[in-house]
Amino acid sequence: MNTIIEALESGKPIAWEKFDGDIWFDTLFYHYSHQYALEPCNVHNGWEKLEGLQWRLLLEHYPELLEKCCWKKLEAEDWGSLLQAVPKAASYCDQYNGWEKMDGAILATVIQLQPQLISHCDFSKFSGNDWKEFLASLPQYADRCDFKKFSVKDWIEFFSALPSPDVPYNWEHFQHRCAEGGAQMLSASYANRCDKWDEFQPMNWAVLLRSQPQFADRCDKWDQMHPLDWAQLIRYQPQFADRCDKWDQFDGDCWQQVLIYQPQFWNRCKDWSWLETLEGYDWEYVVEKQLAFLPKCDQYDGWSKFSSYHWKIFLKKYPCFWDRYKKFASVKLSPEELAYIQEKTESEEKE
């Protein structure tokens, strides 16, 4: 393109009539500010040579060219992307049937970013998945939703995406967005609209209750939850621990999930033999995450399984445990590793 600009500036002739759509696009997109190509594009019908994607990219950057566009060339994806960036293109979308071309997923994305275009939206095109994504950001339009389109999967993902009451800021922000539309659609109201509760499986409940514990009174599958599902649920929502009837079925993976994040349940573990199967990377992980495992690492000879890499990572974070390295290590750190740990330790002490 520099050659074209140089030719124009020097007065050399250019064979505009030989330009294809790609060359016209490059000329207009990258050098439009020079205003060199506008008149030649009019004269040599360059606008007609541009394809839909090229028009979309051009108009997103230069919306003043809206009147030049060959709208019939835009496909659904082009319309959706353009409206997100240039909402004033909606009048052309009305005129050239762009709204009819877009499916529910594209429409939902457009309205989420440009809610002032809500009057153009055909909600009947929305699938359950489209509604799920849409209401997570615009809950005030719940009264427009046909919730019967929701599958169990849609409901689980939708409920899980709601702000949790455990996070006050997010919950208050969500209530504010609902109030803006005049509809107080909090999670309890959504729950009343759900007609799939009896189809929720134990795994669904475990996933949902991790982020939305307020639905616990709806759960009728407590005794059917798998031990690992229980462990992951208790990790995030320890208040449900007394409901769990699978403690004696927990394996090593389950106990790691619980005890790393909720060490108050330490006395629930009656059989620690699972620790004998841990490798060096396991020990380095559990001790780094939860220092309550230190005595167990001593007892089950976990330190001897540390590789030099594991020692380097662990001592970088906890340099106060050099005594464990000196007493239990089965490997030696290289001079480079020792220097690295020492450097990190000294820099942290200075700070």
Side-chain angles (χ1 to χ4, degrees), residues 53 82 90 115 239 243 288 309 344:
L53 174 59
L82 177 60
Q239 69 271 29
R243 291 178 178 265
E288 181 185 345
Y309 174 78
K344 294 294 291 183

Side-chain angles (χ1 to χ4, degrees), residues 3-16:
T3 303
I4 294 175
I5 301 302
E6 291 170 0
L8 285 167
E9 291 176 339
S10 64
K12 293 180 180 179
I14 295 176
W16 297 104

Side-chain angles (χ1 to χ4, degrees), residues 91-104:
S91 59
Y92 294 97
C93 197
D94 293 334
Q95 185 177 352
Y96 292 95
N97 299 319
W99 299 107
E100 286 74 11
K101 291 183 178 181
M102 289 181 275
D103 61 18

Side-chain angles (χ1 to χ4, degrees), residues 38-51:
L38 290 181
E39 185 56 31
C41 196
N42 289 329
V43 173
H44 296 282
N45 205 26
W47 308 113
E48 285 288 341
K49 296 179 180 179
L50 297 174
E51 297 301 325

Side-chain angles (χ1 to χ4, degrees), residues 277-294:
T277 66
L278 297 189
E279 301 294 338
Y281 58 84
D282 299 313
W283 278 114
E284 187 268 319
Y285 176 77
V286 298
V287 176
E288 181 185 345
K289 291 289 186 182
Q290 179 53 254
L291 291 180
F293 277 97
L294 277 168

